Amino acid sequence: MDTPEWQKNTALHWLVTMNTDTKVLKLVRKSSEEEDHNETTRSTSPPVQLAALPAAETRSFGRSAIDERDVPLDHMDAGRDALVDMYRTMYMSRKLDDKEIQLKGQNRIYFQISGAGHEAILVAAGVSLKAGYDWFYPYYRDRALCLQLGMTPLEQLLSSVGAEADPNSHGRQMPSHWGHKKLNIVSQSSPTGTQLLQAVGCAEASYRVELVPELKRVVKNFHDDEVAYVSLGDGTSSEGEFWEALNTATNLKLPVVFLLEDNGYAISVPVEVQTAGGDVSRLIEGFPSLYMQKCDGTDMLESLATMRRAVDYCRQRKGPAFVHAKVIRPYSHSLSDDEKLYRADEERALEAERDPVKRFGAYLISEHLIDQNGLQKIKDEVDQIVNEAADQALASPQPSVETVTKFVFSPDVDPTSKAFDTEEGAELSGNAGTMVDLINRCLHTEMARDPRIVVFGEDVADCSRDQYLNNVKGKGGVFKVTANLQRRFGSARVFNSPLAEANIVGRAIGLATRGLKPVVEIQFFDYIWPAMHQIRNELALLRWRSGNEWKAPLVIRVPVGGYLKGGAVYHSQSGVSTFTQIPGLRVIYPSNALDANGLLRTAIRCDDPVLFLEHKHLYRQAYNKSQYPPDEFMIPFGKAKRVKEGSNLSIITYGALVQRSLVAAKQAEQDGISVEIIDLRSLVPYDWNAIVASVKKTNRVIVAHEDSLSFGYGAEIAARISSELFEHLDAPVKRVCALDTFVAYAPVLEDAILPQVTDVAKAIAELNAY
């Protein structure tokens, strides 16, 4: 991986001072002794406020920008080299955009979205931060940043052509969806704004290390002054997750640099339509500890000074920084868009005068840092590099079609394997406990075993105000599942979150990326939907879309289901099929206390994201109690349990329908009908072999679950049985499910909507008589 020469020069240090009339940018060479000191300690120089710029203001810099009276002559050479190399990166970024546009016009690539007009602020960000040391959550305009951090033109063009060697995604994502393991550029997705909460979670990892020093050995690439960078466009600031990210970053004073690259448009929608008052900075001024800066993001020197101050503020652990950079968008949003349809010619002409590449090139010439011939030589060299890289990329092999299913799940840890099966012969001890008790015990033992585990969510802590912790009984979750975890393991590992489900899951992804093991709680399944963006588009896809470069193994615990009397529409849902169809997400659904303990331990120890569903009605039922298993008790995923032997027909079920099926089966025995019951326990993956064996044995099958009939989880099981086991069936596959409606409040209505013992008994009788 090639790194620009100027980037290797760690002896170059930028200092910014402010006079009343002019800005002075000084270049000084630090001594090697000072350099070594600063590599291991944080800067203590206070940040300098920079006056905000009007949206369309253009600034030119006279000789005072780099004043020879402030910079000794022998240091000017180093300064010139650095500035010239910054121009080289800016021009290379623009040239790569142009090359991709050319290739798209030739139908040799399939998509293009440019970073044109953003180059100055992005190169400034790259100069101010450390590749492979700090952490980066860019968005699709950040081509110049990635180049500045060390990504090569070839690597970017490999992404354009969808080559297997593409380090961003190995051909799985669109171009300009950045990711680079060695540079700490975390895999980026298309939905705007989802990266913000993950960046906050990434920075939170270092915050947790400060509170729990032993985490230093498990947090990946930890540095005590590391910074998380995250960028966004002006349109993204309309997303709710933007505000959730700012809320947590400022509340915890996390070292996050938010870079708002404001080019005035979100595709065709101008900023004044997106944002009240047309200036998001004015709306967020009230966030505490947020160091806010505005700058002309097309001005290289001003951008550099601003980014330096923002980064230094974060390195000093004073809180997050927010840089609002006004940039331009000289090209359409992407090649799928035509900005001439909605932007006036005069507006586009005015923006062209602020083109950062042209402005900075003209500045270098006017300051005699390079002449026209020297500038042209740089352009010629870059043109050649880009053309050669394009030729190499076009010749690079495409991914093999055999790889398409690789990395949906972890290739290294298999939770369906014998290594996770200690169920047989496990010795139980102590008094029988409920499902709540055994889940709580599992969390206690696993947190004691693994310091990486952090538990958070709404109300999961015993008491957020530590000073009262010993004076109160403690909350420990609305169902008491997390009781006494905070009391035992401390507030740094068990803590409450804002009431914001996307915040919970997004932060957990960032923490998991750094090597921690979040076990988070969504208070009710019915309220999981604000987190769906993070679960579907981020959590489940991170490993696959990055070609196994990045992963986020974590557990989302979710109370689910009805039969509570009074749960009603928003506390009784069971829509599991929405999640079981998401590749990359394990879905587990125990029906009793012992299974919940063993399956949760497997979920925590596996290397994939797991949705762990805990039926609220089953939390404290006497019939599913169990004594406590050993601390190494595990049940592998994809292993069903035969809870009742039978010969006449089979019931394939899970969750609350297991007990209801057992009751119905005992009633059927009085009529001479022998019913076999299979508890799936694990929905993704499910135990197809157990289903096959049971169906071949009884030749008749019922699929029973609490989810609705149409498009419910059982439809997949029924369809596969009909397709693959048709010759073994003596009757059609029958389903017992909830009605295609919502769960109502009145008990008589709830009973009619959800499947009851009588519904299962009726299905048994009808199927046996077929």
Side-chain angles (χ1 to χ4, degrees):
M1 180 171 55
D2 297 331
T3 303
E5 285 301 319
W6 67 268
Q7 186 180 328
K8 300 174 184 175
N9 182 8
T10 57
L12 189 64
H13 180 59
W14 295 88
L15 298 175
V16 181
T17 61
M18 296 295 295
N19 295 334
T20 55
D21 299 315
T22 60
K23 176 174 64 182
V24 180
L25 185 64
K26 298 181 181 180
L27 296 178
V28 295
R29 186 180 300 280
K30 293 182 287 188
S31 68
S32 58
E33 201 174 278
E34 182 186 0
E35 184 68 27
D36 292 339
H37 174 75
N38 286 338
E39 281 297 307
T40 55
T41 60
R42 302 174 190 152
S43 169
T44 57
S45 59
V48 181
Q49 294 290 341
L50 185 64
L53 290 176
E57 182 177 344
T58 301
R59 288 192 178 181
S60 60
F61 289 87
R63 193 62 185 169
S64 62
I66 296 182
D67 197 322
E68 293 188 35
R69 291 172 299 177
D70 296 304
V71 185
L73 187 60
D74 60 333
H75 293 171
M76 279 298 298
D77 293 334
R80 289 191 185 102
D81 290 345
L83 293 171
V84 168
D85 277 323
M86 290 178 203
Y87 173 81
R88 183 189 301 273
T89 304
M90 292 170 66
Y91 179 77
M92 183 173 288
S93 180
R94 183 67 61 86
K95 187 64 181 179
L96 283 164
D97 275 328
D98 292 340
K99 174 54 69 173
E100 286 185 345
I101 291 170
Q102 179 190 55
L103 293 173
K104 178 66 169 66
Q106 298 169 347
N107 291 321
R108 304 177 83 181
I109 67 172
Y110 322 106
F111 178 79
Q112 205 281 330
I113 190 165
S114 83
H118 295 227
E119 294 93 348
I121 188 64
L122 291 171
V123 170
V127 170
S128 304
L129 294 155
K130 303 177 184 179
Y133 185 100
D134 295 317
W135 292 81
F136 301 90
Y137 287 80
Y139 90 119
Y140 46 78
R141 304 284 184 207
D142 284 18
R143 181 189 300 280
L145 168 77
C146 295
L147 288 171
Q148 185 60 45
L149 293 176
M151 191 180 291
T152 67
L154 175 59
E155 288 176 324
Q156 295 199 351
L157 288 168
L158 287 170
S159 176
S160 307
V161 303
E164 194 284 329
D166 157 37
N168 298 276
S169 73
H170 302 279
R172 295 184 169 191
Q173 291 219 83
M174 288 175 164
S176 299
H177 287 57
W178 311 111
H180 202 293
K181 187 73 171 181
K182 291 181 180 178
L183 301 176
N184 284 356
I185 303 173
V186 182
S187 172
Q188 178 203 329
S189 67
S190 290
T192 57
T194 48
Q195 74 275 18
L196 292 158
L197 285 167
Q198 294 168 42
V200 168
C202 175
E204 188 176 350
S206 64
Y207 168 79
R208 298 288 158 196
V209 170
E210 292 178 0
L211 300 176
V212 187
E214 56 264 38
L215 290 178
K216 279 188 179 181
R217 61 185 177 85
V218 297
V219 172
K220 294 179 180 177
N221 300 336
F222 170 75
H223 303 284
D224 63 2
D225 66 341
E226 67 189 27
V227 171
Y229 161 98
V230 63
S231 59
L232 65 151
D234 49 282
T236 299
S237 67
S238 298
E239 294 278 359
E241 291 184 19
F242 166 71
W243 300 91
E244 293 181 27
L246 282 175
N247 183 44
T248 294
T250 55
N251 200 27
L252 300 181
K253 293 187 176 181
L254 299 178
V256 184
V257 175
F258 294 87
L259 174 58
L260 173 60
E261 301 168 39
D262 183 355
N263 61 32
Y265 277 91
I267 306 185
S268 69
V269 183
V271 67
E272 69 271 14
V273 176
Q274 290 276 350
T275 304
D279 184 354
V280 71
S281 292
R282 295 178 61 187
L283 303 183
I284 64 174
E285 288 174 350
F287 280 101
S289 75
L290 182 62
Y291 180 59
M292 293 184 57
Q293 294 278 277
K294 274 190 175 183
C295 71
D296 180 352
T298 67
D299 183 320
M300 183 68 242
L301 299 183
E302 185 176 330
S303 296
L304 183 60
T306 304
M307 287 304 305
R308 279 296 192 191
R309 289 195 299 274
V311 171
D312 286 346
Y313 182 84
C314 291
R315 291 213 194 282
Q316 294 171 46
R317 293 302 186 263
K318 293 184 176 181
F322 185 87
V323 175
H324 187 164
K326 297 291 289 186
V327 294
I328 63 169
R329 198 189 75 188
Y331 299 166
S332 295
H333 168 75
S334 72
L335 289 191
S336 302
D337 171 51
D338 182 1
E339 68 172 14
K340 293 178 182 178
L341 298 175
Y342 52 86
R343 297 188 71 180
D345 289 342
E346 53 266 34
E347 180 183 304
R348 297 170 63 238
L350 283 172
E351 274 207 350
E353 296 177 5
R354 297 177 59 225
D355 188 301
V357 179
K358 294 177 180 177
R359 285 183 68 187
F360 195 46
Y363 169 78
L364 294 177
I365 292 173
S366 69
E367 294 298 313
H368 308 293
L369 298 175
I370 196 170
D371 59 21
Q372 187 65 55
N373 289 335
L375 207 65
Q376 187 59 49
K377 183 179 179 182
I378 289 174
K379 293 179 179 180
D380 292 342
E381 290 172 352
V382 169
D383 290 353
Q384 182 177 349
I385 290 169
V386 170
N387 288 333
E388 290 176 355
D391 291 339
Q392 287 181 262
L394 289 166
S396 185
Q398 293 282 293
S400 169
V401 294
E402 288 78 22
T403 66
V404 292
T405 57
K406 288 185 67 175
F407 312 129
V408 173
F409 294 110
S410 172
D412 305 313
V413 180
D414 181 5
T416 70
S417 68
K418 289 291 185 181
F420 287 89
D421 194 348
T422 62
E423 183 178 21
E424 196 70 31
E427 295 186 7
L428 307 182
S429 61
N431 296 326
T434 64
M435 183 183 284
V436 167
D437 296 328
L438 267 71
I439 292 174
N440 182 266
R441 171 69 69 88
C442 178
L443 291 171
H444 271 273
T445 59
E446 286 301 289
M447 289 192 75
R449 180 190 68 88
D450 188 350
R452 299 177 308 144
I453 297 173
V454 291
V455 172
F456 63 98
E458 175 70 14
D459 289 316
V460 302
D462 293 306
C463 180
S464 286
R465 292 173 174 165
D466 283 5
Q467 68 268 32
Y468 302 131
L469 186 57
N470 294 326
N471 302 328
V472 297
K473 185 176 180 180
K475 182 71 175 175
V478 296
F479 297 102
K480 305 297 182 184
V481 179
T482 55
N484 294 316
L485 289 176
Q486 178 198 7
R487 207 179 296 275
R488 178 177 178 187
F489 298 104
S491 301
R493 294 182 63 196
V494 183
F495 47 92
N496 286 327
S497 71
L499 201 156
E501 289 75 15
N503 179 287
I504 294 168
V505 177
R507 286 165 62 192
I509 294 171
L511 286 162
T513 300
R514 297 300 304 279
L516 295 181
K517 188 75 178 193
V519 180
V520 300
E521 178 180 305
I522 301 296
Q523 198 167 80
F524 290 93
F525 180 87
D526 315 67
Y527 301 143
I528 200 170
W529 310 112
M532 192 63 176
H533 213 6
Q534 290 290 339
I535 295 170
R536 170 63 176 79
N537 288 321
E538 302 297 329
L539 176 63
L541 271 69
L542 181 60
R543 185 192 297 274
W544 186 87
R545 78 178 187 223
S546 68
N548 201 37
E549 300 286 349
W550 299 98
K551 62 181 181 178
L554 59 90
V555 180
I556 305 174
R557 293 182 38 257
V558 191
V560 66
Y563 301 109
L564 285 180
K565 305 302 180 190
V569 182
Y570 297 107
H571 294 80
S572 304
Q573 290 186 75
S574 298
V576 298
S577 59
T578 303
F579 296 91
T580 55
Q581 66 174 333
I582 301 175
L585 185 67
R586 307 279 191 185
V587 182
I588 308 302
Y589 205 142
S591 67
N592 59 77
L594 185 62
D595 287 356
N597 181 283
L599 288 166
L600 180 58
R601 187 168 286 106
T602 298
I604 292 172
R605 296 190 187 188
C606 88
D607 199 35
D608 296 308
V610 180
L611 184 69
F612 195 85
L613 300 170
E614 303 166 4
H615 201 291
K616 301 187 295 294
H617 176 70
L618 302 180
Y619 266 153
R620 290 181 169 84
Q621 295 296 330
Y623 59 74
N624 70 11
K625 282 185 174 183
S626 170
Q627 291 180 287
Y628 292 89
D631 292 351
E632 293 298 313
F633 178 72
M634 288 181 286
I635 297 172
F637 294 167
K639 180 186 176 184
K641 184 177 184 179
R642 183 185 292 110
V643 296
K644 183 182 182 301
E645 292 273 2
S647 57
N648 295 129
L649 63 85
S650 302
I651 299 178
I652 312 300
T653 187
Y654 60 87
L657 264 294
V658 173
Q659 179 65 17
R660 281 160 175 71
S661 297
L662 277 169
V663 174
K666 290 178 181 178
Q667 294 175 0
E669 286 179 347
Q670 299 174 9
D671 297 323
I673 306 172
S674 176
V675 179
E676 180 157 291
I677 300 174
I678 302 296
D679 179 2
L680 289 177
R681 306 194 288 189
S682 169
L683 305 186
V684 178
Y686 62 87
D687 190 344
W688 176 242
N689 291 334
I691 294 171
V692 169
S694 186
V695 172
K696 285 183 177 180
K697 175 182 174 183
T698 68
N699 310 117
R700 299 168 191 262
V701 62
I702 295 170
V703 180
H705 59 65
E706 190 177 340
D707 209 351
S708 57
L709 176 70
S710 299
F711 318 108
Y713 180 79
E716 167 62 24
I717 304 297
R720 189 172 180 188
I721 291 172
S722 298
S723 173
E724 299 183 30
L725 300 175
F726 181 77
E727 65 273 20
H728 299 284
L729 293 174
D730 291 340
V733 178
K734 198 170 187 65
R735 287 181 286 163
V736 176
C737 311
L739 302 181
D740 291 340
T741 186
F742 305 100
V743 179
Y745 174 73
V748 65
L749 297 180
E750 181 186 38
D751 289 347
I753 292 163
L754 297 180
Q756 306 296 331
V757 170
T758 54
D759 297 312
V760 180
K762 180 182 178 183
I764 291 172
E766 290 176 351
L767 191 65
N768 185 68
Y770 183 86

